[in-house]
Amino acid sequence: MRPKEIRIKYTEYDNINELTAADKNLVQAARSAAKNAYAPYSKFQVGAAVLLENGEVIKGNNQENADFTDGLCAERVALFYAHARYPDIPVAVLAVSAQNHTGQVKEPAQPCGSCRQVMVETEVRFQKPIRIILDGSDGIHILDGAENLLPLAFKPNALK
Ligand code: THU
């Protein structure tokens, strides 16, 4: 028996003003995307903004449905759209922001497991880690790479 431990790393910022101008811009894009979410059922509006290596910013937000299982999270809407539009351009940074009926959430937004899986796939696809910015009114977390959100991820290699 060999007990093992995996550490994840992230940096905590107190608020958006501590970020670089480029990161701030992307968080603002995610915040504005959240405002346009179609979330009449959960009333939990999430926005994601993807910065591609060509400088393009692609925004997405969660899209719900009366058949609850047919909706999709903001992160996947943004990532899938980014690669529908620019299939060969790697993702450099992804920012996520969320708001509920009281306004912006306090804790940094936490992507669901499926979105983490899609982030890992995107990294594998382009062989580049994605910087991930999780926005909250009480703090912002920045992670260098989706492995920090999904250690021991299932990757395409497993299929070989
Ligand atoms: N949601 C996202 O869009 N991203 C997340 O990271 C977590 C959850 C959405 C899905 C659903 O529309 C609503 O938030 C409530 O779960």
Side-chain angles (χ1 to χ4, degrees):
M1 192 189 76
R2 279 179 297 280
K4 303 216 176 186
E5 192 178 312
I6 294 176
R7 285 169 191 248
I8 63 137
K9 276 195 189 173
Y10 63 92
T11 309
E12 189 170 61
Y13 296 83
D14 288 337
N15 62 62
I16 195 169
N17 296 318
E18 288 187 353
L19 305 185
T20 63
D23 285 351
K24 204 169 168 176
N25 189 45
L26 203 65
V27 168
Q28 273 158 349
R31 287 181 184 178
S32 85
K35 293 194 166 61
N36 293 331
Y38 179 63
Y41 305 104
S42 71
K43 310 240 188 297
F44 188 71
Q45 299 188 244
V46 186
V50 168
L51 174 66
L52 297 176
E53 281 200 348
N54 62 1
E56 201 73 39
V57 172
I58 304 284
K59 300 203 272 186
N61 43 38
N62 51 328
Q63 300 294 320
E64 297 185 348
N65 193 282
D67 180 345
F68 290 178
T69 58
D70 286 340
L72 197 64
C73 295
E75 297 90 323
R76 276 176 289 163
V77 168
L79 285 169
F80 291 159
Y81 178 57
H83 290 121
R85 182 104 171 65
Y86 298 100
D88 301 322
I89 313 290
V91 171
V93 193
L94 167 69
V96 189
S97 191
Q99 54 183 64
N100 59 24
H101 64 285
T102 65
Q104 201 199 350
V105 296
K106 291 192 167 75
E107 298 286 313
Q110 287 300 347
C112 79
S114 297
C115 289
R116 293 174 194 222
Q117 181 70 27
V118 169
M119 291 175 203
V120 168
E121 180 84 17
T122 308
E123 290 188 341
V124 172
R125 177 173 173 183
F126 294 106
Q127 289 297 299
K128 295 223 165 116
I130 303 171
R131 240 156 65 74
I132 298 160
I133 308 177
L134 304 175
D135 182 32
S137 63
D138 279 0
I140 295 176
H141 291 167
I142 300 191
L143 304 89
D144 281 318
E147 294 264 339
N148 289 297
L149 284 176
L150 191 63
L152 300 176
F154 180 74
K155 294 186 189 167
N157 247 350
L159 302 174
K160 289 187 184 140

